[in-house]
Amino acid sequence: MDALNFIDGHHVHAREFVDNLEPATGRPCGKVASSDATDVETAIEAAQRAFPLWSRLPASERGRYMRSIARIVERDLEKFARAETVDSGKPITTSRTLDIPRAIKNFDFFADAATQFGSESHANESSLNYTLRQPLGVVGCISPWNLPLYLLTWKIAPALAAGNTVVAKPSEVTPLTAHLLGAACAEAGLPHGVLNLVQGLGPRAGAPLVQHPGVKEISFTGSTRVGQEIALACARRLAKCSLELGGKNALIVFEDADLDEASTLAVRAAFSNQGQICLCGSRILVHESVRAQFTEQLVAKTRALVQGDPLEPATEQGALVSQAHLDKVLGCLALAKSEGGRVLTGGGRARIEGRCAEGFFVQPTLIDGLHAHTRTNQEEIFGPVATLLPFKTDAEAIELANSTRYGLAASVLTRDLKRAHLVAQRLESGIVWINCWMVRDLRTPFGGVKESGLGREGGNEAMRFFTEAKNVTVAL
Ligand code: NAD
């Protein structure tokens, strides 16, 4: 299947196309539109035309369209899950049970949130001051490849709910679910131009969207390097931007944790989606006194992960997303070894027989014996590679957890309630999970501190981000 643009209510071609490769086989599975500034301009003009009508619709009416889209994706869940697996190499069970259901939930959640959205009023002796939160106009949403539909809709849904029209650029590496979403919007009768999807490469299709004066705001999820470029481009024209960026997250196992539960959780946190989730716990900090016992369990559970064809329902570890990413992760493994790391399990490319013989697979890998300040422990790998770091005191655990330039998420595993809350307060991290990982309530703010991001999207805050606050003062 080819991935086309969806502009002004229709699928349309771009002048050029690039190959879309299936990561599990390394072979082309279709083509993706390689849009340029002209396509972006067309999409922005369509969104501008649609804005007056869409922004004036009652919130409940906007919500009705969004729910219709959600029901179509739900009906076609299998088609979406298969497309995502072919596109990304992730296990189809993950697409079926996590990615696509979450994308559906994004639409449903913000359809409701639109009708509950409030703003403030402050009265004093002489005046009444109230805040109007008005939609901005056309907003730009740029998303990465690791959770293609889930992260795309996490931006699109609050933007539409708040009354904006959208031009979104999905990742060129995983364009298929966005293509299908376009068809779902057409079937739902979404007014033309309200949501436009422009496929293509970052510098060719993403940059013109970021630089366009008609785009009031950019919501970006992706790498810290590109996020910094986008922040600069937005700063030049004083456009609002929110950035959800990389992570090097710590999972801290205290000596009083349930080690069986902790090792199961650590495997999930480190290797879900082949370690290609910004929230993955890629640095596992473990108390010295339980290190041997915990490591033994961790290694055994890592070795038990089922790696294979992502289209097989039993597969737990699929392929990495691209040849380029495979090369990057293999380079990180070579670096870890050259820095003195001891490979406890994994450590190289995995060979799968049959259809997937040429696929981009890497063995889930655990590495021990590296100092916290090595590049391996400082830089985001974004693959199935986790390191183990021992600690002796709570203070040392906190210092290790905070020792990178990132600050996205952290997990604290302990039975001691007081310790859990104290440690959570001192972690430099936008999200802290206590005895869990990647649990999300969409009403809470989401995002990182330090170089993991700027702005918090979630619930009311996400809706607010997509509005302009206007103060109105009435003399009394
Ligand atoms: P990336 O930064 O390479 O690309 C992200 C998106 O930006 C893609 O759509 C890409 O085409 C586009 N892009 C690239 N250059 C651009 C430019 N100059 N102008 C405009 N757009 C441009 O990231 P990726 O490799 O797709 O995704 C992996 C990264 O995303 C990891 O660092 C991961 O941690 C991060 N991520 C963060 C979160 C979060 O919520 N914090 C979630 C998922 C992924």
Side-chain angles (χ1 to χ4, degrees):
M1 179 168 53
D2 292 342
L4 306 183
N5 290 337
F6 181 75
I7 298 177
D8 210 8
H10 304 283
H11 274 130
V12 288
H13 287 252
R15 273 189 300 269
E16 290 180 27
F17 280 80
V18 290
D19 277 340
N20 184 19
L21 294 189
E22 181 180 1
T25 63
R27 288 192 290 272
C29 58
K31 294 200 176 294
V32 48
S34 176
S35 310
D36 60 14
T38 315
D39 301 300
V40 172
E41 183 70 44
T42 312
I44 292 169
E45 284 169 8
Q48 283 171 330
R49 283 195 300 277
F51 179 69
L53 179 120
W54 182 253
S55 56
R56 282 189 214 123
L57 279 185
S60 57
E61 194 62 11
R62 291 198 293 266
R64 200 178 59 72
Y65 282 111
M66 290 168 61
R67 270 200 203 86
S68 300
I69 298 169
R71 297 293 73 75
I72 294 165
V73 178
E74 198 165 51
R75 181 198 70 199
D76 293 347
L77 191 142
E78 194 53 34
K79 187 159 80 174
F80 275 88
R82 199 179 164 86
E84 188 176 74
T85 293
V86 167
D87 236 4
S88 67
K90 72 174 57 188
I92 193 154
T93 303
T94 309
S95 290
R96 278 180 188 144
T97 59
L98 174 73
D99 289 44
I100 308 302
R102 244 310 287 281
I104 295 166
K105 191 164 179 194
N106 286 338
F107 280 115
D108 281 333
F109 177 87
F110 284 106
D112 286 337
T115 65
Q116 307 295 319
F117 189 48
S119 64
E120 313 81 48
S121 152
H122 301 95
N124 60 38
E125 327 68 64
S126 58
S127 66
L128 171 66
N129 308 272
Y130 64 90
T131 306
L132 287 178
R133 296 203 177 265
Q134 297 175 306
L136 295 151
V138 180
V139 300
C141 300
I142 301 180
S143 56
W145 46 259
N146 62 326
L147 303 160
L149 192 66
Y150 170 154
L151 291 175
L152 186 69
T153 53
W154 172 238
K155 300 182 173 309
I156 290 171
L160 293 180
N164 303 282
T165 53
V166 174
V167 177
K169 197 206 81 61
S171 169
E172 64 276 21
V173 188
T174 52
L176 286 179
T177 47
H179 174 87
L180 294 176
L181 180 65
C185 291
E187 188 182 337
L190 188 70
H192 292 184
V194 168
L195 172 63
N196 305 274
L197 299 155
V198 180
Q199 308 271 11
L201 309 172
R204 193 173 145 91
L209 180 63
V210 173
Q211 289 157 10
H212 199 289
V215 176
K216 304 297 180 200
E217 177 176 283
I218 294 291
S219 171
F220 172 80
T221 300
S223 61
T224 295
R225 185 189 62 75
V226 175
Q228 284 163 339
E229 268 181 49
I230 285 176
L232 282 173
C234 288
R236 268 184 222 111
R237 59 184 189 90
L238 295 181
K240 258 169 119 177
C241 81
S242 102
L243 305 168
E244 295 186 357
L245 309 177
K248 190 74 183 174
N249 313 301
L251 178 135
I252 311 173
V253 182
F254 286 98
E255 69 279 18
D256 62 342
D258 177 320
L259 294 189
D260 184 32
E261 279 177 20
S263 53
T264 300
L265 197 79
V267 169
R268 204 162 66 78
F271 300 120
S272 287
N273 201 31
Q274 299 72 248
Q276 302 168 124
I277 301 181
C278 54
L279 306 166
C280 274
S282 54
R283 293 181 302 142
I284 302 170
L285 279 44
V286 56
H287 193 274
E288 189 64 64
S289 65
V290 294
R291 181 183 180 181
Q293 197 188 341
F294 173 78
T295 305
E296 192 185 331
Q297 293 186 23
L298 185 69
V299 169
K301 289 176 185 176
T302 302
R303 286 192 180 138
L305 287 169
V306 178
Q307 189 160 33
D309 186 339
L311 285 171
E312 290 297 328
T315 295
E316 295 170 304
Q317 288 286 291
L320 298 196
V321 79
S322 65
Q323 177 75 54
H325 195 52
L326 170 73
D327 294 342
K328 181 203 152 178
V329 172
L330 292 177
C332 292
L333 288 175
L335 174 71
K337 289 171 197 167
S338 74
E339 287 182 319
R342 197 162 61 89
V343 175
L344 302 177
T345 184
R349 191 165 181 174
R351 294 289 178 190
I352 310 294
E353 288 183 2
R355 186 184 95 87
C356 299
E358 300 302 319
F360 311 137
F361 293 83
V362 168
Q363 299 164 322
T365 299
L366 291 167
I367 299 176
D368 202 359
L370 284 171
H371 191 274
H373 293 291
T374 53
R375 280 180 59 198
T376 303
N377 272 321
Q378 290 292 315
E379 295 172 8
E380 186 185 43
I381 298 173
F382 215 56
V385 183
T387 56
L388 279 137
L389 287 156
F391 67 86
K392 291 198 178 80
T393 63
D394 291 17
E396 195 188 351
I398 293 163
E399 194 185 321
L400 282 172
N402 291 344
S403 69
T404 76
R405 67 190 175 114
Y406 295 108
L408 185 53
S411 283
V412 178
L413 311 190
T414 175
R415 289 173 168 131
D416 181 337
L417 203 57
K418 186 173 169 192
R419 168 190 261 170
H421 290 296
L422 284 174
V423 172
Q425 277 186 20
R426 291 178 58 196
L427 288 172
E428 296 166 356
S429 175
I431 300 158
V432 178
W433 287 296
I434 296 171
N435 295 323
C436 58
W437 175 75
M438 207 173 153
V439 178
R440 280 280 286 126
D441 182 321
L442 298 189
R443 290 169 299 185
T444 60
F446 174 87
V449 298
K450 292 157 77 176
E451 291 187 31
S452 286
L454 203 61
R456 296 285 170 279
E457 294 184 15
N460 232 7
E461 305 223 21
M463 295 277 294
R464 281 185 184 196
F465 173 72
F466 285 108
T467 59
E468 196 75 83
K470 181 189 286 177
N471 182 63
V472 180
T473 296
V474 185
L476 296 177

